[in-house]
Amino acid sequence: MATTRYYTTISYNYLNPTIKVEDGIRSKYAIENLRHQVILNFTVNHKNWMLTTANRFNERISYKNYFIADVRASYQLINLNIFADIQNIFDKSYIEAAAVPMPGRWFSLGARYKFSY
């Protein structure tokens, strides 16, 4: 009889950085630091199948809050893991450090083989 297992993790980070101004010059990148971050992951494992969600809430010092959700479905053979990912499910527009715009929704397929020796 197959067992279904559930796993969950939650984490929280709070940062309160000090922005140092030298000679009246302030870096435009300094104010893009995170202030709050909450990460929630949930995984369901049944027989050889696994479904994982990764969810992140970020608040930057000078940028709007945003929520990003990803999902991965995978199937485990003996030494081969086949998976499909959807990143940024809700197609959220957001930036990361250094004002780099991140991609919208994207998909990927992959396989990982574990060599036994």
Side-chain angles (χ1 to χ4, degrees):
M1 185 164 123
T3 302
T4 301
R5 293 192 173 137
Y6 303 91
Y7 307 94
T8 190
T9 59
I10 188 167
S11 62
Y12 172 76
N13 296 298
Y14 171 76
L15 299 172
N16 189 13
T18 302
I19 300 170
K20 188 176 181 180
V21 178
E22 291 188 23
D23 299 326
I25 299 171
R26 177 181 286 182
S27 169
K28 67 178 181 178
Y29 303 115
I31 58 176
E32 293 166 1
N33 290 316
L34 283 173
R35 170 83 65 208
H36 299 280
Q37 182 181 55
V38 179
I39 302 171
L40 173 64
N41 296 325
F42 183 71
T43 300
V44 177
N45 191 341
H46 180 72
K47 296 184 181 179
N48 294 5
W49 289 96
M50 185 179 290
L51 180 67
T52 301
T53 64
N55 307 282
R56 296 174 308 285
F57 168 81
N58 290 331
E59 177 186 318
R60 295 199 175 274
I61 292 174
S62 65
Y63 191 68
K64 61 184 177 184
N65 304 339
Y66 55 92
F67 174 79
I68 304 296
D70 308 325
V71 68
R72 171 178 276 197
S74 65
Y75 185 78
Q76 183 70 47
L77 297 168
I78 295 169
N79 288 336
L80 179 67
N81 182 272
I82 301 167
F83 59 88
D85 290 338
I86 304 173
Q87 304 289 327
N88 194 357
I89 294 170
F90 304 113
D91 200 23
K92 182 70 178 170
S93 296
Y94 67 104
I95 63 166
E96 282 295 333
V100 175
M102 301 305 290
R105 182 183 312 115
W106 56 283
F107 305 86
S108 61
L109 298 171
R112 182 174 43 222
Y113 187 82
K114 181 178 178 181
F115 292 97
S116 299
Y117 47 90

